[in-house]
Amino acid sequence: MARVLLTRPVPEGGTDPILDAGHEIVLAEGPAPDLAGLVADVDGVLCMLTDRIDERVLRAGAAARLRVVSVAAVGYDNVDVAEAAALGIVVCNTPGVLDETTADLAFLLILSAGRLASDAERDLRAGRWQGWGITDHLGRDVHGTCLGLVGCGRIARAVARRAEGFGMEVLHHSRTDTGAPGYVAALPELLARSDTVSLHVPLTPSTRHLIGAEELALMKPTAVLVNTARGAVVDEAALARALEKGDIFAAGIDVYSEEPAIDPDLLAAPRTVLLPHIGSASTQTRTAMARMASQAICDVLAGRTPEHLVRA
Ligand code: GLV
Ligand code: GLV
């Protein structure tokens, strides 16, 4: 029997694989537990994207008996993967199970940002609605327009499938040529051609501020930017300025560079739909993510190769 640290309670049934394997679960307490202290007494950690698994935590674990860190998320920019590899600690994530749910959310933002849903609802709730007005709350059409996907992983492809139903032309950009229809080698060209740009790249040193002032300036003044990837892929201050000046039409954002803090300029920016990082937040998907992360821990502890291993 091994001991597994769970950094947050997960949806019901999410840790069944660990319990079924006969391991013991230790639940960290409070919103900001001292992970470096807690990992010294466990074989595995099931953590969230909000937990910083840095060198200090990994070394404290390696000095004891920590063998695996399993993140219940597809993005693992919160884990020092190189340090884990150097210490022989396996890192796992949960790609695949959240693709469709996250693509649903990206599409929700594509629609709600383009159609100014948040502003319109705010007016209604504030009692400012004077009745149907032919010039009121005029957004931009989504159907039949051009969607530019930055990244071409599973979530991007799931968004592309939805876009087909809306009669959209779909372009995609990635560093390596996908050979698929709609591939655009140059990011500036994709930005200039798209009516909506949706971001689907992981956060790495090369994607940090991938979309900054220069890139926003290339977008159409009628265009919408959607980010369900990681906040720091966008220069948020530049985005707030672009919205304020009308350089782009609207934005739909689910992720922020300093979560849960939100850049005050972004909060104040017009024509912006802001959601609190709920891309994968359905009961089914969050349960599936927890189960997959749990299963990976069991696999590593049993000497099996887990389905999704993160490589440094
Ligand atoms: C969510 O943002 C994830 O990476 O799973
Ligand atoms: C996630 O799995 C992605 O590839 O976008």
Side-chain angles (χ1 to χ4, degrees):
M1 186 180 90
R3 271 162 77 85
V4 176
L5 174 68
L6 180 63
T7 64
R8 304 289 144 101
V10 296
E12 199 183 333
T15 54
D16 281 358
I18 298 173
L19 298 172
D20 291 349
H23 302 311
E24 182 192 350
I25 293 178
V26 188
L27 179 62
E29 285 181 22
D34 169 30
L35 294 180
L38 293 169
V39 293
D41 189 29
V42 296
D43 305 275
V45 176
L46 199 170
C47 70
M48 311 298 138
L49 61 89
T50 46
D51 296 312
R52 189 133 297 283
I53 309 296
D54 55 15
E55 189 182 304
R56 195 175 72 95
V57 174
L58 290 165
R59 288 199 174 166
R65 59 177 201 275
L66 182 65
R67 291 168 59 192
V68 53
V69 171
S70 193
V71 193
V74 64
Y76 49 85
D77 48 279
N78 57 313
V79 181
D80 186 339
V81 176
E83 183 66 20
L87 295 168
I89 296 171
V90 177
V91 179
C92 310
N93 68 337
T94 66
V97 282
L98 47 65
D99 297 342
E100 300 295 330
T101 301
T102 305
D104 283 349
L105 199 279
F107 226 87
L108 182 154
L109 285 174
I110 291 168
L111 290 165
S112 59
R115 295 296 300 275
L116 306 177
S118 285
D119 288 354
E121 182 175 1
R122 228 172 353 251
D123 282 353
L124 178 148
R125 287 185 184 275
R128 286 192 294 263
W129 186 35
Q130 305 286 326
W132 190 88
I134 198 161
T135 58
D136 293 346
H137 298 126
L138 302 187
R140 307 290 312 175
D141 274 332
V142 172
H143 70 271
T145 63
C146 177
L147 173 64
L149 302 169
V150 180
C152 64
R154 303 179 226 227
I155 297 172
R157 295 198 298 274
V159 174
R161 286 195 296 279
R162 286 157 177 73
E164 274 175 36
F166 280 73
M168 300 174 93
E169 178 193 3
V170 182
L171 307 176
H172 64 278
H173 163 80
S174 60
R175 278 187 302 181
T176 43
D177 190 346
T178 59
Y183 177 69
V184 177
L187 178 61
E189 183 191 336
L190 177 126
L191 297 173
R193 286 173 60 187
S194 302
D195 298 300
T196 302
V197 173
S198 188
L199 306 177
H200 302 285
V201 289
L203 177 62
T204 66
S206 63
T207 62
R208 185 172 292 275
H209 287 193
L210 183 67
I211 305 297
E214 213 174 292
E215 290 71 27
L216 290 161
L218 296 171
M219 290 173 63
K220 301 177 186 181
T222 51
V224 174
L225 179 73
V226 169
N227 189 7
T228 54
R230 282 293 180 270
V233 174
V234 175
D235 177 344
E236 293 163 333
L239 174 60
R241 277 195 303 275
L243 288 159
E244 196 60 56
K245 290 194 316 193
D247 289 346
I248 68 169
F249 179 67
I253 306 292
D254 188 45
V255 286
Y256 307 88
S257 55
E258 304 289 342
E259 296 178 7
I262 316 281
D263 184 318
D265 291 338
L266 194 56
L267 267 181
R271 302 177 307 284
T272 303
V273 178
L274 301 177
L275 296 179
H277 203 152
I278 57 168
S280 61
S282 70
T283 303
Q284 299 95 316
T285 291
R286 288 281 171 86
T287 305
M289 290 161 68
R291 289 183 69 95
M292 182 181 268
S294 295
Q295 184 59 49
I297 291 177
C298 297
D299 288 341
V300 174
L301 295 182
R304 294 184 298 263
T305 304
E307 198 180 346
H308 299 289
L309 207 58
V310 171
R311 287 176 208 285

